[in-house]
Amino acid sequence: MTKRNLCILGSTGSIGQSTLDVVRRHPDRFEIEALSANSSVELIVKQCLEFKPKTVVLVSTEHAELLKESLNSLNLNNILVLSGEQALIDIASSSTVDTVMAAIVGASGLMPTLSAVRAGKRVLLANKEALVTSGEIFIDAVKESGAELLPIDSEHNAIFQCLPSLEQSRLGDCQLESAGVSKILLTGSGGPFRELSLEELESVTPEQACAHPNWDMGKKISVDSATMMNKGLEFIEAKWLFNLTEDDIQVVLHPQSTIHSMVQYKDGSVLAQMGNPDMRTPIAHALSFPERIESGVEPFDFFNTPSFDFQAPDFKKYPNLKLAIDACKLGQGACTALNAANEVSVDAFLNKQIKFTQIAEINETSMKKFVSDKVVEINDVIEIDQKARQFALSLISEGQIASVDIQ
Ligand code: NDP
Ligand code: MG
């Protein structure tokens, strides 16, 4: 068996660590070529000791220097340590790498992920913000380079698994109508605040928002799950991955997160992918596709499982979900601005600068401001992203949103 040579962008995050946990179970299948992190030096040192990558990239030179010192003291000075965005772009497109796990959080992952796509790699896409923020440009790059795109997001991975192989082989250019598909059912748990009233949502804390009932994830996506912006970003992600219109996708609340999404066919069949909510399943699926390998996930136990519930989402409780669906209809400028503003507002909420309910206010004002900005090339994306971030930051610092009173 030929080994796959992996580059893991964001190896210290939740997805990065789950990826390494699957890799650890299959030393005969995978070789770690490159790892990257923002600033988690201690953790990446441990990963270097165990997986012996050839190259490691940290975002800042300061963290890279700290890493070099630690590796020297461990006699691991044959590992090349680099820093900066260009180094991330380089490892993602290196000729020694054939598979890239794109698991950086946020739009910071855009250029490295796009670099892997342009270099025609097998790209395991966890970094949904990269696709949301660049849309057609990203998909056109996939088509041009012949990159093999495989979704890691559990919903999109589930949908992928429920599609015929011809459609699986042409992500970004699927023809689902001719494949007999009538609807894509995108499931979501509704997050930790599903049972709270609108008034109660005013005073929820970052700690409560990050305690997701079913999934163990990084902080940003945990808050996005609580606001359901995550489902909104996934709505946009699904549109691009499966070449859909907004009317083809329906969001379904399913609190137990056992079904990870479904595909409804013209003949009345509904194919669902289900299992325990553990990201190692989609990661193992994509790493070994089209084969199946052990992931470490417990087998699903049907005799000890709660009932399956389904509800329509309440847009009053989840205004961010509505905003993202609106942005999807409005066009790329709106999607890019919404994604950027959301990164800023979620960060401000995590730092207790704004209330949970103000995330949607900042997002909406920012999205509307840039809705008619045109996106033709990648520099337009970067420009709108930066302008929307500045604008959202100014809303927070100038107190242009309803008064903030955070404990
Ligand atoms: P985490 O916050 O746990 O990890 C993020 C990773 O990216 C870390 O390795 C972090 O390094 C690195 N990073 C952070 N900022 C930067 C930056 N500016 N430049 C380069 N690297 C950076 O996130 P998750 O693993 O939860 O999520 C990663 C992506 O996967 C997101 O796009 C998310 O939406 C998506 N996803 C996640 C799921 C999950 O279950 N967690 C499910 C589906 C999708 P450091 O540790 O040093 O900060
Ligand atoms: Mg998901």
Side-chain angles (χ1 to χ4, degrees), residues 10 12-15 38-40 59 108 126 128-129 153 217-218 279:
T12 51
S14 164
I15 293 288
N38 182 20
S39 59
S40 301
V59 172
S108 305
K128 67 192 88 184
E129 298 93 338
D153 215 346
M217 308 179 285
M279 288 307 293

Side-chain angles (χ1 to χ4, degrees), residues 155-172:
E155 295 75 6
H156 306 74
N157 183 271
I159 293 162
F160 179 92
Q161 293 197 45
C162 296
L163 289 176
S165 54
L166 174 61
E167 306 311 326
Q168 292 178 333
S169 70
R170 51 182 184 186
L171 282 204

Side-chain angles (χ1 to χ4, degrees), residues 131-136 240 327 330-337 373 375 381 384:
L131 180 53
V132 166
T133 206
S134 65
E136 195 168 3
W240 289 114
L330 288 165
Q332 193 55 57
C335 293
T336 306
D373 281 27
V375 174
V381 172
I384 297 173

Side-chain angles (χ1 to χ4, degrees), residues 41-73:
V41 173
E42 219 173 292
L43 179 52
I44 214 158
V45 168
K46 287 194 191 133
Q47 295 180 343
C48 287
L49 267 171
E50 182 178 355
F51 294 98
K52 311 272 180 331
K54 307 220 171 35
T55 312
V56 177
V57 179
L58 292 184
V59 172
S60 74
T61 46
E62 290 78 11
H63 290 109
E65 285 308 318
L66 286 175
L67 175 61
K68 273 185 207 166
E69 281 169 28
S70 298
L71 293 181
N72 277 342
S73 68

